[in-house]
Amino acid sequence: MQVQFNSDSSVMGTENVAERIEAAVREKLSRFEERLTRIEVHVRDENAHKGGNDDKACTIEARPRSGRAIGVTEHAATVDLAARKAANTLAQRLERHFGKAERHKHDPSPDKII
């Protein structure tokens, strides 16, 4: 599973923000690793130099091996918290997505005898 990290220039205040967030996202989504090809993480500060509550946003998009991409966005006071919230929400959505796929799998139809 490939993890791609993107951010705007106002978020990269500390050196290891990308490593911290990537590690947290990988840990939270590790159980889906075999079913995903790529995860894209986007973090941004929505009002840049101005302060404010919940102005940091994290969008995570997961690419399942089959099917369409699944994405979530969460806001928080810090990018780490926004990423943690987004990873939790995405894990729930993936659980639902893959759970539905498992429930709707059908055994092959038995041959009809006439």
Side-chain angles (χ1 to χ4, degrees), residues 24-26 38 49 100:
V25 169
R26 277 187 183 276
R38 184 175 70 209
H49 62 281
K100 283 182 181 180

Side-chain angles (χ1 to χ4, degrees), residues 14-65:
T14 61
E15 291 178 18
N16 62 353
V17 70
E19 291 92 14
R20 273 195 330 261
I21 290 174
E22 183 178 332
V25 169
R26 277 187 183 276
E27 181 182 334
K28 187 65 181 178
L29 303 178
S30 64
R31 64 185 161 167
F32 304 108
E33 189 168 356
E34 295 300 318
R35 296 176 172 187
L36 301 174
T37 58
R38 184 175 70 209
I39 294 176
E40 293 183 31
V41 180
H42 304 271
V43 293
R44 64 192 175 280
D45 186 342
E46 295 198 329
N47 60 3
H49 62 281
K50 298 183 229 172
N53 292 337
D54 296 346
D55 65 334
K56 309 298 188 284
C58 179
T59 300
I60 304 177
E61 187 175 275
R63 305 283 177 138
R65 292 197 184 279

